[in-house]
């Protein structure tokens, strides 16, 4: 759950529910006045909402740097006021805001309650300073772990500190880099990393790493691992010995890594700060020993393999600590993700890219650099510093005007039922897409289709130009893309039943598209939108 901006189309789609919403605190004299006030806030761009199942909290806020000033709060009839207030504070914690301010007239009973909740009345405003006790969870995922370093870069810029870090496999390795507090060291490691610097394996020399060469590397990897009962990780040991300062790790933020003892297949949680210096790298290697592809690690006469076999995303361990918020960075590694119950008073911020982050065990410095950039940009977006779904744009990028111009273009071409458009968009994109920024979703649809790289902050004009250029001169996926990604791209581009091909077929139709719109409303709009950006080029 997070606080999201509300657009008029979303509000109108839930109008009956909105009309039943009630004022939480006396920001206004009546519920109807508060609803009218919120409607005005939505028009100004200051209306937001938090949705939890069928419940919602409507918020009018002004962002003043590190503070949220709340001017109105409405709740659905099935949510209690204590829960609503907790949701509001948790939403502010997700963005790591310094304080919450409430501008309202409080009677004596409400004054006492606000004081009990940590609010103070200063200069006519009720204000609460938010105190943070943050835990960081880093999941396993092999070569995809570079993404976590990009996330860390964005968190460093916001000066977010951690009171505990837990990690599995590559998450444990990155946790050690974060604990020693040297971002440049971590960046240098990932930007120069290659498979032969991690594993004791040699691939045959090729002039160019193309799809065939990548498949051959995977075959070599599999054959060597079967012959040796796991490829040795001695190169990784040497790399860690060069890059890690075990003294700093011992004195740094508490770090727990997960490994699996065999043959008992038992989860082992290792408090790395409490280990002897000579054991720290051993336990990190044990946590990352992805057997049977990688050799087991032997410590004190016992064999250990990758912690992901028992707990690939160790949120449960972090929740045992006295924290108030949790940052989880999931890089989609294989293994077991335990179910957990998040306490109501703990805020969770999950970073899990919608993009494929590449192969698990083929380390490539070029792909690592891209994943670092992706982790950085996606974290900036989740803090509201960028906008977009899969791609990235400045918050000043004006997609509402672009959408309005598109609807003017549509005026004489289709009769559009605006009230039904929002739910159709939600079904097609499988997420909430406000009608007002329809152009953003449509542009990203085409960009993803023609393999536009996401690791850049675009202007709308640059994005359109890039999309049209890729349509005219399709790019070939290079060696930075995994074998799986290249296969999926080949299948998608040869699947005549995909949404992409349907849009292309409608685009090529001549005459009226009314019949096509009645049958396929969103694909028809996409086809017309593509005509529009071509005409406006």
């Amino acid at each position: 759950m997070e606080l999201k901006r509300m657009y008029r189309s979303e509000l109108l789609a839930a109008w009956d529910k909105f009309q039943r919403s009630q004022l939480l605190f006396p920001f206004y004299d009546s519920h109807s006045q508060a609803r009218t006030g919120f409607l005005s806030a939505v028009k100004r761009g200051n209306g937001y909402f938090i949705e939890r199942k069928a419940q919602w909290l409507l918020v009018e806020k002004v962002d003043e740097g590190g503070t949220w000033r709340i001017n109105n709060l409405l709740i659905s009839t099935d949510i209690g006021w204590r829960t609503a207030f907790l949701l509001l504070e948790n939403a502010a914690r997700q963005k790591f805001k310094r304080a919450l301010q409430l501008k309202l007239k409080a009677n004596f009973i409400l004054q006492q309650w606000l004081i009990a909740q940590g609010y103070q009345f200063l200069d006519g405003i009720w204000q609460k300073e938010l105190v943070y006790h943050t835990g960081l969870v880093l999941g396993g995922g092999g070569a995809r772990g570079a993404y976590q370093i990009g996330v860390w870069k964005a968190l460093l810029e916001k000066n977010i500190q951690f009171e505990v870090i837990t990690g599995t496999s590559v998450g444990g390795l990155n946790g050690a880099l974060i604990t020693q507090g040297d971002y440049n060291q971590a960046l240098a490691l990932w930007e120069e990393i290659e498979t032969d610097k991690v594993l004791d394996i040699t691939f045959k020399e090729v002039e160019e790493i193309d799809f065939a060469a990548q498949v051959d590397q995977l075959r070599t990897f599999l054959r060597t691992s079967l012959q040796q009962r796991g490829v040795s990780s001695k190169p990784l040991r040497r790399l860690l010995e060069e890059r890690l300062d075990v003294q700093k790790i011992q004195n740094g933020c508490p770090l727990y890594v997960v490994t699996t003892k065999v043959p008992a297949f038992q989860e082992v949680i290792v408090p790395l700060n409490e280990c002897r210096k000579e054991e720290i790298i051993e336990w990190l290697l044990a946590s990352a020993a992805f057997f049977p592809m990688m050799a087991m690690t032997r410590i004190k006469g016992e064999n250990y393999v990758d912690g992901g076999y028992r707990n690939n995303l160790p949120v449960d361990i972090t929740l045992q600590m006295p924290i108030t918020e949790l940052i989880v960075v999931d890089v989609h590694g294989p293994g077991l993700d335990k179910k957990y119950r998040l306490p109501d008073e703990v805020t969770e911020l999950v970073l899990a890219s919608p993009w494929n982050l590449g192969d698990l065990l083929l380390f490539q410095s070029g792909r690592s650099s891209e994943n670092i950039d992706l982790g950085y940009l996606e974290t900036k977006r989740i803090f509201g510093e960028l906008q977009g779904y899969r791609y990235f744009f400045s918050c000043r990028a004006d997609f509402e005007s672009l959408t309005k111009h598109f609807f003017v273009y549509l005026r004489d071409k289709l009769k559009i039922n605006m009230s039904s458009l929002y739910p159709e968009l939600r079904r097609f994109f499988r997420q909430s897409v406000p009608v007002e920024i329809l152009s953003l979703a449509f542009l990203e649809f085409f960009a993803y289709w023609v393999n536009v790289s996401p690791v850049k902050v675009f202007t709308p004009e640059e994005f359109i130009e890039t999309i049209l250029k890729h349509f005219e001169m399709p790019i070939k996926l290079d060696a930075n893309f995994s074998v799986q990604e290249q296969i999926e791209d080949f299948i998608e581009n040869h699947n005549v039943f995909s949404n992409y091909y349907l849009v292309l077929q409608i685009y090529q139709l001549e005459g009226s598209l009314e019949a096509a719109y009645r049958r396929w409303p969103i694909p028809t709009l996409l086809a017309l939108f593509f005509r529009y950006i071509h005409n406006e080029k």
Side-chain angles (χ1 to χ4, degrees):
M1 292 174 296
E2 63 176 310
L3 191 72
K4 299 178 181 178
R5 180 183 166 185
M6 175 163 271
Y7 290 85
R8 289 190 68 198
S9 60
E10 295 172 302
L11 191 60
L12 292 173
W15 187 253
D16 290 341
K17 184 178 177 181
F18 171 66
Q19 289 291 78
R20 296 193 299 272
S21 61
Q22 298 179 353
L23 189 62
L24 180 60
F25 289 127
F27 293 95
Y28 289 86
D29 293 331
S30 69
H31 299 305
S32 60
Q33 287 180 4
R35 287 192 288 269
T36 301
F38 184 76
L39 186 56
S40 298
V42 169
K43 292 177 182 177
R44 295 193 306 272
N46 294 331
Y48 296 81
F49 73 102
I50 305 171
E51 193 168 21
R52 187 176 72 169
K53 297 180 181 178
Q55 302 173 331
W56 70 359
L57 173 67
L58 304 178
V59 182
E60 179 187 343
K61 75 170 181 69
V62 177
D63 203 337
E64 298 179 342
T67 300
W68 278 357
R69 177 172 291 192
I70 309 301
N71 297 322
N72 193 4
L73 284 174
L74 288 160
I75 59 175
S76 54
T77 54
D78 53 354
I79 185 172
W81 59 274
R82 290 180 182 273
T83 301
F85 220 67
L86 187 61
L87 287 175
L88 176 63
E89 289 198 6
N90 284 350
R93 288 184 178 281
Q94 273 191 328
K95 307 299 184 185
F96 284 83
K97 293 299 175 181
R98 180 181 56 82
L100 270 175
Q101 293 180 341
L102 305 176
K103 189 175 181 180
L104 53 80
K105 297 177 182 178
N107 59 27
F108 179 75
I109 295 175
L110 181 55
Q111 289 176 17
Q112 297 304 305
W113 185 85
L114 289 170
I115 292 170
Q117 300 304 310
Y119 284 82
Q120 294 180 306
F121 193 64
L122 301 169
D123 300 324
I125 300 288
W126 288 95
Q127 177 166 308
K128 180 176 182 177
E129 300 289 331
L130 299 176
V131 179
Y132 291 89
H133 304 281
T134 308
L136 176 66
V137 180
L138 302 170
R144 302 168 183 172
Y147 177 88
Q148 296 171 341
I149 300 303
V151 172
W152 182 33
K153 178 185 177 182
L155 298 179
L156 281 172
E157 289 183 355
K158 295 189 74 67
N159 196 30
I160 294 173
Q161 306 296 317
F162 313 114
E163 296 195 2
V164 61
I165 301 173
T166 62
T168 297
S169 193
V170 73
L173 302 181
N174 283 333
L177 291 165
I178 293 171
T179 296
Q180 74 178 22
D182 190 341
Y183 172 76
N184 290 330
Q185 192 76 274
L187 181 64
L189 184 152
W190 277 102
E191 287 190 335
E192 70 181 37
I193 203 165
E194 295 292 342
T195 302
D196 60 2
K197 292 185 178 182
V198 176
L199 300 169
D200 192 7
I201 189 170
T202 302
F203 299 121
K204 67 181 181 181
E205 293 287 338
V206 292
E207 290 185 6
E208 182 181 351
I209 299 293
D210 56 11
F211 177 77
Q214 285 181 287
V215 172
D216 188 58
Q217 286 182 349
L218 288 172
R219 285 176 182 156
T220 301
F221 200 110
L222 180 60
R223 182 169 58 250
T224 305
S225 65
L226 291 174
Q227 291 171 348
Q228 299 180 1
R229 296 192 65 194
V231 178
S232 170
S233 58
K234 286 181 181 179
L236 178 58
R237 179 189 298 274
R238 291 193 293 269
L239 191 61
L240 295 180
E241 288 171 349
E242 291 173 10
R243 297 294 184 180
L244 293 183
D245 185 328
V246 292
Q247 182 70 51
K248 287 183 178 179
I249 292 172
Q250 284 182 320
N251 297 331
C253 171
L255 170 62
Y256 296 83
V257 298
V258 179
T259 184
T260 305
K261 183 192 288 188
V262 292
F265 218 61
Q266 173 189 351
E267 178 183 351
V268 177
I269 302 167
V270 183
L272 219 61
N273 311 76
E274 301 173 16
C275 295
R276 297 198 304 271
K277 289 182 179 180
E278 60 271 18
E279 292 180 343
I280 287 176
I281 289 178
E282 295 293 334
W283 284 117
L284 289 172
L285 291 170
S287 180
F290 187 51
F291 186 82
M293 304 299 286
M294 296 170 64
M296 299 181 188
T297 300
R298 193 165 181 82
I299 302 175
K300 297 178 181 178
E302 301 282 359
N303 288 324
Y304 295 88
V305 296
D306 197 295
Y309 285 113
R310 297 297 298 161
N311 193 353
N312 194 59
L313 198 63
V315 176
D316 60 316
I317 300 170
T318 315
L319 288 175
Q320 295 174 27
M321 313 300 169
I323 60 172
T324 53
E325 54 283 326
L326 188 65
I327 299 174
V328 181
V329 191
D330 183 2
V331 289
H332 312 299
L336 175 67
D337 291 350
K338 288 185 177 180
K339 292 183 179 181
Y340 59 92
R341 191 193 71 81
L342 191 72
D344 290 341
E345 64 276 9
V346 176
T347 302
E348 182 180 44
L349 182 64
V350 178
L351 285 144
S353 180
W355 293 93
N356 187 316
L357 299 177
D359 284 311
L360 284 167
L361 293 170
L362 292 182
F363 291 79
Q364 299 168 301
S365 58
R367 185 59 183 264
S368 294
S369 294
E370 289 183 3
N371 283 342
I372 289 170
D373 291 341
L374 191 60
Y376 174 75
L377 292 171
E378 289 189 352
T379 307
K380 298 274 282 185
R381 182 174 60 199
I382 209 166
F383 284 126
E385 296 173 30
L386 296 169
Q387 62 172 316
Y389 297 106
R390 280 178 170 265
Y391 292 86
F392 308 98
F393 307 89
S394 163
C395 290
R396 295 187 299 274
D398 187 3
F399 290 101
E400 291 189 58
S401 292
L402 180 58
T403 305
K404 287 177 182 177
H405 293 152
F406 172 57
F407 278 119
V408 171
Y409 169 82
L410 282 179
R411 188 174 297 158
D412 299 325
K413 294 174 176 60
L414 287 177
K415 296 178 181 178
I416 297 174
N417 183 349
M418 297 298 292
S419 63
S420 67
L421 193 55
Y422 175 71
E424 287 288 347
L425 285 166
R426 189 160 192 162
R427 278 193 291 272
F428 184 85
F429 288 105
R430 299 179 184 177
Q431 62 180 326
S432 175
V433 177
V435 174
E436 290 83 347
I437 54 171
L438 181 72
S439 57
L440 169 59
F442 281 9
L443 286 172
E444 290 202 4
F445 175 90
F446 290 116
Y448 184 69
W449 186 7
V450 294
N451 297 315
V452 174
S453 171
V455 288
K456 177 183 176 180
V457 179
F458 291 94
T459 66
E461 295 76 19
E462 289 172 336
F463 202 49
I464 291 171
E465 184 178 346
T466 303
I467 290 167
L468 295 178
K469 186 182 298 182
H470 278 52
F471 263 99
E472 292 171 5
M473 299 178 60
I475 66 165
K476 180 182 178 182
L477 298 189
D478 60 27
N480 279 340
F481 289 85
S482 68
V483 170
Q484 178 188 349
E485 287 172 298
Q486 295 188 59
I487 291 173
E488 289 174 352
D489 180 69
F490 177 84
I491 293 172
E492 184 61 51
N493 280 287
H494 292 79
N495 178 10
V496 296
F497 300 105
S498 70
N499 283 324
Y500 301 106
Y501 266 88
L502 175 59
V503 171
L504 190 59
Q505 288 170 350
I506 298 172
Y507 173 77
Q508 294 169 338
L509 292 175
E510 296 181 0
S512 173
L513 295 182
E514 287 286 355
Y517 178 72
R518 286 194 295 272
R519 186 171 182 182
W520 304 292
I522 305 306
T524 303
L525 288 180
L526 278 159
L528 285 167
F529 184 77
F530 196 53
R531 287 185 186 178
Y532 170 71
I533 61 175
H534 257 294
N535 293 342
E536 295 296 313
K537 181 182 175 183

